[in-house]
Amino acid sequence: MLDPAAPQLVVNARTLLFSWLPADPDAVAALVPAGLRPRPDRQVFLCQYVVDDETQTSGFGAYSLTFLGVSLADMGPPDGGTPGGWWTHYLASSPRVRQYASARGAPATSGETLLDVRGGRLAAETWADGRPLIQVTAGVGHTGTEAHSGHHRYLTARDGELIVADYPYVAEPVSPFEVESVEFLAPEHPVYALRPANPLQVCWGFYSPRVSFAYPARPNALDEPLPGGDPVAAAHQVPARRARSGLPSGS
């Protein structure tokens, strides 16, 4: 088992990341634990990515992953960019990745993610328990000379304690990029609560055939200052211990 306190590096993952407004804002808000606040628009985010070869990681090996959750108010990373997010679901194909992520508070379960680009059209699927859960189609172009970089902030819970970590990334997005459809195919599955509104309202996102990122060393409890004395975590004044279980409802 990998040491959950050790950092891990992933390079050149094929990655789709975007967000939308949900069909059931109240159901989305109910997935956020006490002490955290969803954005007023109840924005939901989804990331589907594939690491094709073990040489692209420092210890994970090849794997695929889908994670999604709820964007949070007043919890962005120090360099701005996308809102911080509470992970509600984390479906990984690799037992090694699931063990590592679970030890860091992620709600990790088994799942497989497939990404296929043909003729300028991206098809992305997330499977679990032998059935498709999520299908996304998008129109995609080619990478150019532009690169995006920064941090994504995600929150989890471990032993009843809220945990926050900033994940550095560098991405080479394609242009043009347009999400065409998002389908949630299993109404009985807990992930269905995050389905998008109809018509689909995408807030932000990108597809890139080359995204590199890191899981940082030891995540911080939310009431600890982050490295550099990050003011967001300190000012948010959320108790580290929650009165509810360490997993979001429905997981």
Side-chain angles (χ1 to χ4, degrees), residues 73-175:
D74 304 321
M75 195 54 69
D79 51 11
T82 59
W86 168 254
W87 276 338
T88 61
H89 300 83
Y90 187 104
L91 297 95
S93 64
S94 164
R96 183 183 302 178
V97 173
R98 292 196 298 270
Q99 290 172 351
Y100 175 88
S102 293
R104 296 165 70 100
T109 58
S110 179
E112 183 177 8
T113 302
L114 307 172
L115 295 179
D116 183 53
V117 177
R118 297 185 184 182
R121 186 177 179 85
L122 168 67
E125 296 184 346
T126 299
W127 287 65
D129 302 322
R131 58 181 174 173
L133 298 182
I134 305 170
Q135 291 182 343
V136 180
T137 61
V140 297
H142 300 282
T143 57
T145 59
E146 184 179 4
H148 293 171
S149 62
H151 295 78
H152 290 300
R153 173 169 288 175
Y154 295 113
L155 287 89
T156 61
R158 184 183 59 209
D159 299 326
E161 185 176 53
L162 292 174
I163 301 297
V164 60
D166 293 340
Y167 297 76
Y169 73 92
V170 177
E172 299 176 57
V174 302
S175 181

Side-chain angles (χ1 to χ4, degrees), residues 43-248:
Q43 192 177 123
V44 170
F45 61 87
L46 168 70
C47 183
Q48 296 167 294
Y49 73 83
V50 176
V51 179
D52 294 293
D53 191 90
E54 64 180 9
T55 61
Q56 295 172 238
T57 75
S58 57
F60 285 153
Y63 71 101
S64 67
L65 176 65
T66 292
F67 64 75
L68 65 166
V70 184
S71 298
L72 300 173
D74 304 321
M75 195 54 69
D79 51 11
T82 59
W86 168 254
W87 276 338
T88 61
H89 300 83
Y90 187 104
L91 297 95
S93 64
S94 164
R96 183 183 302 178
V97 173
R98 292 196 298 270
Q99 290 172 351
Y100 175 88
S102 293
R104 296 165 70 100
T109 58
S110 179
E112 183 177 8
T113 302
L114 307 172
L115 295 179
D116 183 53
V117 177
R118 297 185 184 182
R121 186 177 179 85
L122 168 67
E125 296 184 346
T126 299
W127 287 65
D129 302 322
R131 58 181 174 173
L133 298 182
I134 305 170
Q135 291 182 343
V136 180
T137 61
V140 297
H142 300 282
T143 57
T145 59
E146 184 179 4
H148 293 171
S149 62
H151 295 78
H152 290 300
R153 173 169 288 175
Y154 295 113
L155 287 89
T156 61
R158 184 183 59 209
D159 299 326
E161 185 176 53
L162 292 174
I163 301 297
V164 60
D166 293 340
Y167 297 76
Y169 73 92
V170 177
E172 299 176 57
V174 302
S175 181
F177 167 73
E178 182 181 6
V179 178
E180 298 172 351
S181 66
V182 181
E183 297 179 87
F184 278 59
L185 304 174
E188 71 282 3
H189 194 279
V191 77
Y192 191 74
L194 298 168
R195 67 195 183 279
N198 186 12
L200 176 66
Q201 301 177 69
V202 173
C203 303
W204 56 265
F206 68 85
Y207 170 72
S208 172
R210 291 181 294 277
V211 175
S212 300
F213 59 92
Y215 279 71
R218 192 186 73 85
N220 294 71
L222 192 58
D223 56 356
E224 296 176 10
L226 291 173
D230 177 73
V232 175
H236 202 65
Q237 296 181 346
V238 179
R241 295 285 170 181
R242 295 189 294 160
R244 50 185 290 180
S245 67
L247 291 177

